[in-house]
Amino acid sequence: MPNKPVYNEPLSTLLRRPHRGDEKQIMETLQWVARSSLLILFTFGIVKLIAGKFTETIIVLFGAIPILISIQYIKKGMVSRPSAILAVTTILLITYLATIGAGVYDVALIGYPVIMIVAGLILRGRVIPYMTGLIILCLGWLVFGDLLEYYDPDLPTTSSVVDLFYASAIILVASNAIYLLAKNIYDNLRRIQEEVEEREKAELAREELIRQLKLKNQELDRFAITVSHDLKTPLITIAGFLGFLERDALSGNKEQIGRSVTQINKAAQKMGTLVDEILDLSRVGRFTNPPTDVPFAKIVSEAVNRAEGLFKTQHVQLEIEREFPLVHVDEARMVQVLQNLLTNAVKFMGKQANPRIQIGCDQGHAEAVFFVKDNGMGISPQYHEQIFGLFSKLDTSTEGTGIGLGLVKRIIEVHGGRIWVESEIGKGSTFFFTLKNQNDKETSWLES
């Protein structure tokens, strides 16, 4: 099995650099070609003007127009359009130089394949067939223009149709080779870019995994410290009251024996509750029941029924919206989520004279957003993330172990959703959570 590449920080930094170096160099090259071509044209124009050839001067200067247009395109950050304009203009310029020079035998014609190579690489070979046709037309002009005496080459030798055939054949072979070369180069570049993107994704995934592992390790450290402390406290209580129980039994103090037994029972119950919640937390991500399509209204009804006694005791007014979507969840786990959110809302209602809790769903987004809203004491924004941690209790005097919201968060995440709170001190709290789209069902869950 081949070894997988090892990604380190320098590679990660390199992959995040913007891939614009080549584009910048191409833009600078195009600007240089455009300005050089413009300088050459103006130079010819001045020479023709000094020689008194006003018609040729106008023709030369007219050729500067497309170059000026291409310069404006380059300033706007375009590449393909100015490249095509400059390629065509340069071919026509080379043809003009050959016309006032040695015709089809002029050394300037060497520039034809050079222009095709440069333009083909910049434009990915797409314009090579059109450029080939234009060059053959220009060669035809040089040959037949000479034969028909439209211009007079510097060389005494007269062009022939055979010259056109040979020149055209050379251009066709060169253009085909240039096309294949450009295609091969860009295919390789595309593959390299795909590999870089895959490595970048792997690097990002690796860094995210490391970040998650660090968070999990920190959480496990806090978990171990808190569990050891919370389990040790009732054990110390039990041990202490057993000593009292032994003393009171010897002295026959039945009243004190009853108090000691009561305290021992409370400590044992607290320890049992903590152990049960830890076991429940360890099972998050495993099947309690296979996920099924369940009307969320059914989940709400079951959670409310379980907390009904608490609502009546605290005189809480409950408001439930009528319309809820169908969800694909472990029903028992989702009832547990909603029940925890409801009991948590009642627990932190404070001294609210008219306690009220609202259960609803906002379906106006890409995904349904469920919420449990109360008008209780509220939570300071600085604790909005902390409350979802394990054993996180903002008020240590309240009942419970601090596992509740941490458990809720993990159940929601196992279902492919997310949970958050919006709250301010004295303005109540609203817990929002989402679930994976009902259409995106999974056949299995991974343990978290």
Side-chain angles (χ1 to χ4, degrees):
M1 185 176 185
N3 293 329
K4 295 183 178 180
V6 178
Y7 303 108
N8 49 36
E9 190 60 29
L11 174 61
S12 174
T13 304
L14 176 64
L15 291 173
R16 282 172 173 74
R17 293 176 182 169
H19 309 293
R20 296 186 179 179
D22 293 341
E23 182 179 337
K24 182 179 178 181
Q25 292 174 5
I26 289 173
M27 300 298 289
E28 291 175 352
T29 302
L30 287 176
Q31 288 180 345
W32 178 84
V33 171
R35 291 168 182 170
S36 299
S37 301
L38 198 61
L39 178 61
I40 292 172
L41 279 176
F42 279 131
T43 301
F44 276 118
I46 292 171
V47 170
K48 293 299 181 181
L49 183 62
I50 294 173
K53 298 181 179 180
F54 299 108
T55 303
E56 294 183 10
T57 301
I58 293 173
I59 294 173
V60 170
L61 295 179
F62 185 77
I65 295 176
I67 297 178
L68 291 171
I69 294 173
S70 67
I71 291 175
Q72 294 303 313
Y73 282 137
I74 293 170
K75 289 181 178 179
K76 294 179 180 180
M78 297 182 182
V79 174
S80 299
R81 192 172 297 177
S83 298
I85 292 174
L86 286 174
V88 172
T89 304
T90 307
I91 290 172
L92 296 176
L93 177 60
I94 291 172
T95 304
Y96 172 74
L97 292 175
T99 300
I100 63 176
V104 76
Y105 304 108
D106 197 281
V107 70
L109 300 187
I110 297 175
Y112 283 157
V114 175
I115 296 302
M116 278 201 298
I117 291 173
V118 175
L121 290 175
I122 294 176
L123 300 173
R124 305 192 179 192
R126 290 174 293 186
V127 299
I128 289 179
Y130 304 104
M131 291 175 59
T132 302
L134 177 60
I135 290 172
I136 291 175
L137 287 175
C138 291
L139 290 172
W141 153 253
L142 292 175
V143 171
F144 289 106
D146 183 16
L147 292 174
L148 299 175
E149 298 182 355
Y150 288 120
Y151 73 94
D152 186 17
D154 292 341
L155 294 179
T157 306
T158 303
S159 302
S160 67
V161 177
V162 176
D163 295 330
L164 176 62
F165 173 77
Y166 288 144
S168 299
I170 292 172
I171 290 298
L172 286 170
V173 172
S175 66
N176 185 61
I178 294 168
Y179 177 81
L180 294 176
L181 174 65
K183 184 177 182 300
N184 183 59
I185 289 174
Y186 275 98
D187 285 345
N188 289 333
L189 288 175
R190 177 180 52 79
R191 284 194 293 269
I192 291 172
Q193 182 64 29
E194 290 175 353
E195 291 177 4
V196 169
E197 290 175 355
E198 288 298 321
R199 295 179 70 179
E200 183 176 19
K201 290 179 182 178
E203 171 65 12
L204 291 174
R206 169 187 169 274
E207 291 180 355
E208 176 62 19
L209 179 60
I210 290 175
R211 188 184 72 82
Q212 292 292 340
L213 286 175
K214 287 181 178 178
L215 293 175
K216 291 293 183 183
N217 286 334
Q218 293 172 0
E219 192 174 82
L220 284 173
D221 290 339
R222 292 194 300 269
F223 179 85
I225 294 171
T226 307
V227 168
S228 63
H229 175 270
D230 285 4
L231 285 176
K232 188 180 293 183
T233 299
L235 283 174
I236 292 173
T237 301
I238 291 172
F241 278 97
L242 280 174
F244 295 146
L245 185 63
E246 181 181 8
R247 183 195 64 189
D248 296 332
L250 292 174
S251 64
N253 190 341
K254 295 182 180 180
E255 181 179 351
Q256 190 60 41
I257 290 174
R259 292 196 190 100
S260 297
V261 170
T262 300
Q263 292 299 326
I264 291 173
N265 283 332
K266 287 182 179 179
Q269 288 173 3
K270 184 176 181 181
M271 182 183 292
T273 300
L274 180 61
V275 171
D276 289 341
E277 289 189 350
I278 292 173
L279 289 173
D280 195 23
L281 182 67
S282 71
R283 288 192 292 265
V284 173
R286 303 176 188 175
F287 286 111
T288 297
N289 294 300
T292 56
D293 293 341
V294 186
F296 194 79
K298 181 181 178 184
I299 294 173
V300 172
S301 177
E302 179 63 27
V304 169
N305 286 338
R306 292 186 183 183
E308 186 176 4
L310 185 61
F311 295 147
K312 290 181 178 179
T313 303
Q314 301 297 326
H315 306 289
V316 176
Q317 179 184 353
L318 195 62
E319 299 177 4
I320 303 175
E321 291 188 0
R322 293 184 177 181
E323 294 186 6
F324 289 101
L326 189 71
V327 292
H328 186 73
V329 295
D330 178 339
E331 183 177 349
R333 285 294 188 188
M334 289 312 302
V335 170
Q336 185 180 10
V337 165
L338 205 58
Q339 182 182 355
N340 276 344
L341 291 177
L342 291 172
T343 54
N344 188 74
V346 175
K347 184 189 299 184
F348 296 98
M349 191 59 71
K351 298 180 180 180
Q352 175 60 247
N354 299 300
R356 184 177 68 256
I357 296 176
Q358 181 182 359
I359 306 172
C361 177
D362 184 357
Q363 303 185 59
H365 304 279
E367 56 182 352
V369 180
F370 305 91
F371 63 87
V372 175
K373 181 178 182 180
D374 65 65
N375 61 344
M377 62 177 64
I379 305 168
S380 176
Q382 69 187 62
Y383 300 118
H384 286 185
E385 293 292 333
Q386 180 181 334
I387 60 173
F388 292 107
L390 291 178
F391 301 101
S392 179
K393 294 180 66 177
L394 300 184
D395 184 357
T396 55
S397 64
T398 58
E399 296 182 359
T401 59
I403 292 180
L405 289 179
L407 181 63
V408 165
K409 182 174 185 290
R410 279 151 185 77
I411 293 174
I412 293 296
E413 289 176 345
V414 166
H415 281 81
R418 52 197 176 88
I419 185 169
W420 68 97
V421 64
E422 293 180 4
S423 179
E424 294 181 30
I425 294 293
K427 296 184 178 181
S429 304
T430 305
F431 284 84
F432 297 92
F433 63 92
T434 65
L435 298 172
K436 182 175 293 186
N437 191 299
Q438 196 268 340
N439 294 324
D440 299 331
K441 301 174 184 177
E442 294 194 12
T443 55
S444 63
W445 291 351
L446 295 175
E447 292 190 12
S448 63

